[in-house]
Amino acid sequence: MSVLSGKKIVLGISGGIAAYKTATLVRLFIKAGAHVQVIMTPASKDFITPLTLSTLSKNPVHSSFYKEDDENATWNNHVELGLWADLILIAPATANTLSKMANGNCDNLLIATYLSAKCPVYFAPAMDLDMYKHPSTLASFNALHQFGNIMIPAESGELASGLSGEGRMAEPENIIAFIANDLESKLPLRGKKILVTAGPTYEAIDPVRFIGNHSSGKMGYDIAKSAANKGATVVLISGPTHLTVSSPNIEVIRVTTAQEMYDTCHRYYQETDTAICAAAVADYKPKNRANQKIKKSEANFSIELEKTKDILASFGDLKQKQYLIGFALETENEIENAKLKIQKKNLDLIVLNSLQDEGAGFSKSTNKITFIDKDFIINPMPLKSKEEVANDIINKVISYYEKNS
């Protein structure tokens, strides 16, 4: 999955011949999973039609503050567009548009949106070679750099004038790669290895029956996705679940039993920076597994159980550099039991769930948690979607590394 997936992108197009390449740019953004809104300067419509770009972006193209031929038209809110965007790309960025950006000359919708934005701004210059090297253009580059804007350098090649040299707008594929690489380099968990466990375990009674629980695995899968989106390399060790995940940064290893999960976790733990144990691992398993299906012949039937190995406790015993997060699902004395678990298992943070809270627990799309750290600082959270809870957990990981960097 591309780092651009889900990103809200404003593409600003100014009036240069390279504007014809923006059709490919929009197509590549959409292919990467981004949402695109296009803003065109009036001059850019001489080089590519709004219809082409609205068709490719699946959104109306904005060009003016309002439609002059429609007396009932509402204005295009440049502030709203600027705040909507996760990033702005201005391509092609002509010498004229660059000068307006650098000096705040706000005479069109694109510049008004640029001046309203709170997000990163990328610009891809496009002009003839002498214009590209002119002192006024270099001054614009310098000013925009000081503003924190990010320049995608022009390439060398044949120019519209017939000359050949620097000033050609970077090719769409190179622009996409530049932005993706820049975003990835700034992800807060880049270079970190995170182990996540998810789902239930099934402990066989016979070839047909097993002891299990109602865990869907969704919490663990959402944590893995959130960590990967923040740049981490994730090993997701999953018990039986119908869930899937598609990300080049997540390796999914499927297991069935508590012993299989224990063995697999320990193959990866030593190289892990953070371990987040969200799986609902069985505490007990049948001591003896029948090789054949047990027949229903007796009025009463008992199964002798034995303890499974405690993955979280074993992680705590072996902990060196790892930041260790456990989960506690309680029905009574929640805070006290969670604190005991922190001490007993040498945890850095525990995520407490109470089945007394409506909307929390297994097989739900929401969760209500309380964070308790090793210093017993308690941080209760409101009811949220499991995706939001996963982000909160990963933000705790990010905060830990920021404090200890």
Side-chain angles (χ1 to χ4, degrees):
M1 182 173 61
S2 170
V3 71
L4 294 170
S5 179
K7 294 291 186 186
K8 293 177 287 187
I9 298 172
V10 166
L11 173 61
I13 304 173
S14 58
I17 185 62
Y20 80 90
K21 296 181 180 179
T22 57
T24 302
L25 255 180
V26 172
R27 183 179 62 81
L28 291 174
F29 277 132
I30 297 297
K31 186 177 180 180
H35 309 286
V36 181
Q37 297 257 25
V38 176
I39 302 176
M40 303 180 72
T41 65
S44 69
K45 292 189 284 187
D46 292 332
F47 300 95
I48 187 168
T49 67
L51 177 60
T52 297
L53 297 167
S54 65
T55 301
L56 292 170
S57 68
K58 301 178 178 62
N59 281 312
V61 168
H62 308 287
S63 181
S64 59
F65 290 99
Y66 62 94
K67 293 181 179 179
E68 296 182 3
D69 57 351
D70 184 354
E71 62 181 14
N72 296 314
T74 57
W75 73 310
N76 289 316
N77 190 331
H78 60 278
V79 175
E80 193 173 275
L81 285 166
L83 296 180
W84 172 84
D86 292 318
L87 67 90
I88 290 177
L89 168 65
I90 299 179
T94 61
N96 183 41
T97 291
L98 290 170
S99 178
K100 290 178 180 180
M101 292 167 62
N103 293 287
N105 183 3
C106 185
D107 66 349
N108 62 45
L109 180 63
L110 174 56
I111 301 300
T113 303
Y114 162 74
L115 293 174
S116 302
K118 305 293 186 184
C119 62
V121 176
Y122 298 83
F123 62 96
M127 62 199 76
D128 212 73
L129 60 95
D130 291 324
M131 297 172 68
Y132 192 76
K133 296 178 180 179
H134 194 276
S136 63
T137 305
L138 298 179
S140 295
F141 292 162
N142 185 58
L144 295 176
H145 176 73
Q146 291 180 347
F147 296 162
N149 299 166
I150 304 159
M151 177 172 160
I152 303 173
E155 299 175 357
S156 294
E158 186 176 351
L159 303 169
S161 65
L163 299 175
S164 183
E166 194 173 22
R168 182 187 179 99
M169 188 179 88
E171 292 302 313
E173 294 81 2
N174 296 338
I175 291 175
I176 297 290
F178 182 100
I179 295 173
N181 290 336
D182 187 65
L183 292 175
E184 287 175 355
S185 72
K186 296 171 181 174
L187 292 174
L189 292 178
R190 183 176 173 84
K192 297 297 182 185
K193 295 181 180 179
I194 295 183
L195 185 154
V196 180
T197 66
T201 62
Y202 290 171
E203 311 302 327
I205 299 170
D206 61 22
V208 177
R209 305 175 183 91
F210 61 85
I211 296 172
N213 57 60
H214 297 295
S215 174
S216 66
K218 179 170 173 53
M219 191 71 259
Y221 274 70
D222 286 339
I223 292 169
K225 292 174 188 176
S226 180
N229 287 340
K230 297 296 186 180
T233 300
V234 181
V235 174
L236 173 60
I237 302 172
S238 172
T241 174
H242 69 281
L243 298 175
T244 59
V245 63
S246 176
S247 169
N249 289 341
I250 302 176
E251 178 185 1
V252 181
I253 302 172
R254 298 191 179 275
V255 298
T256 301
T257 68
Q259 184 63 51
E260 289 172 351
M261 185 168 283
Y262 181 96
D263 292 339
T264 306
C265 282
H266 279 274
R267 284 205 300 270
Y268 291 91
Y269 182 63
Q270 292 299 332
E271 297 180 354
T272 293
D273 295 299
T274 293
I276 305 173
C277 295
V281 182
D283 294 321
Y284 293 89
K285 66 179 180 179
K287 187 172 183 179
N288 298 299
R289 176 186 181 276
N291 293 325
Q292 302 295 327
K293 180 183 176 183
I294 299 171
K295 299 296 183 181
K296 185 171 66 175
S297 56
E298 302 293 335
N300 296 302
F301 177 71
S302 62
I303 302 172
E304 185 178 2
L305 300 178
E306 63 181 359
K307 273 191 173 183
T308 59
K309 293 180 180 179
D310 191 322
I311 297 171
L312 193 55
S314 68
F315 280 177
D317 290 340
L318 295 171
K319 187 171 72 170
Q320 295 176 340
K321 62 173 184 176
Q322 292 85 359
Y323 184 60
L324 185 56
I325 301 176
F327 277 65
L329 179 62
E330 303 291 345
T331 58
E332 58 182 357
N333 300 321
E334 292 96 339
I335 299 295
E336 292 78 6
N337 287 333
K339 287 180 177 179
L340 287 172
K341 193 170 186 179
I342 290 172
Q343 292 177 313
K344 186 178 179 181
K345 301 190 179 184
N346 192 23
L347 306 182
D348 295 292
L349 182 72
I350 201 162
V351 182
L352 172 62
N353 296 271
S354 172
L355 285 180
Q356 305 301 324
D357 292 324
E358 186 175 351
F362 292 140
S363 302
K364 294 188 172 74
S365 61
T366 57
N367 208 350
K368 188 174 186 294
I369 66 167
T370 298
F371 289 115
I372 308 176
D373 68 17
K374 63 182 180 182
D375 296 320
F376 296 159
I377 296 173
I378 300 171
N379 182 16
M381 307 295 288
L383 182 69
K384 297 183 178 184
S385 70
K386 286 187 173 177
E387 291 88 348
E388 292 173 313
V389 172
N391 289 333
D392 288 341
I393 293 168
I394 293 304
N395 285 336
K396 288 286 186 181
V397 177
I398 293 169
S399 296
Y400 169 79
Y401 287 116
E402 287 176 345
K403 291 176 183 177
N404 291 277
S405 60

